[in-house]
Amino acid sequence: HGMVHCSGGAQTKILHFIDALHVIKDNLFETPPLFKMIQEESNTSWKEMYEVFNMGHRMELYVPAASADELIKISKSFGVDAQIIGRVEASESKHLTIKSDHGDFVY
């Protein structure tokens, strides 16, 4: 179980809190227009964008799959959209894979 506020480390912040795990984020929310504008104006790579900005994902909860639906219902009852954005698997080393409309990136 864990909770990560995706500021000061963005989508890669989880790497500070894991060891032998592979975090796979393959169902992210659509990227808000603000971040698309920043990327276009700065010509920053999408890989780096995920390292610098939360990309519209402010908080992540790492919970057993059986708890996810109930937490999503609670979140939505407060007017905060929520969804399952990925999964965690055992691994020889810590790493993160992001699969998005902007490409696939490994950290």
Side-chain angles (χ1 to χ4, degrees), residues 46-94:
W46 281 109
K47 184 174 187 195
E48 186 177 348
M49 291 289 293
Y50 285 105
E51 293 176 281
V52 176
F53 300 103
N54 67 30
M55 303 297 278
H57 296 250
R58 292 174 290 278
M59 185 174 295
E60 296 174 347
L61 302 178
Y62 288 80
V63 301
S67 303
D69 285 342
E70 186 61 26
L71 287 171
I72 290 168
K73 285 180 193 169
I74 293 168
S75 182
K76 289 183 176 185
S77 77
F78 287 96
V80 178
D81 201 7
Q83 69 185 37
I84 296 171
I85 64 162
R87 62 193 180 282
V88 178
E89 298 177 350
S91 174
E92 295 289 318
S93 61
K94 71 176 177 180

Side-chain angles (χ1 to χ4, degrees), residues 6-101:
C6 300
S7 58
Q11 287 301 313
T12 58
K13 188 172 185 177
I14 186 62
L15 292 171
H16 296 294
F17 306 106
I18 62 172
D19 287 315
L21 294 172
H22 180 196
V23 177
I24 301 160
K25 299 181 186 184
D26 57 3
N27 189 42
L28 297 171
F29 283 97
E30 184 177 346
T31 304
L34 170 66
F35 298 106
K36 293 177 182 176
M37 185 181 75
I38 291 170
Q39 190 279 329
E40 288 169 6
E41 294 296 321
S42 67
N43 207 24
T44 301
S45 72
W46 281 109
K47 184 174 187 195
E48 186 177 348
M49 291 289 293
Y50 285 105
E51 293 176 281
V52 176
F53 300 103
N54 67 30
M55 303 297 278
H57 296 250
R58 292 174 290 278
M59 185 174 295
E60 296 174 347
L61 302 178
Y62 288 80
V63 301
S67 303
D69 285 342
E70 186 61 26
L71 287 171
I72 290 168
K73 285 180 193 169
I74 293 168
S75 182
K76 289 183 176 185
S77 77
F78 287 96
V80 178
D81 201 7
Q83 69 185 37
I84 296 171
I85 64 162
R87 62 193 180 282
V88 178
E89 298 177 350
S91 174
E92 295 289 318
S93 61
K94 71 176 177 180
H95 59 286
L96 163 67
T97 299
I98 293 178
K99 296 182 178 188
S100 74
D101 292 341

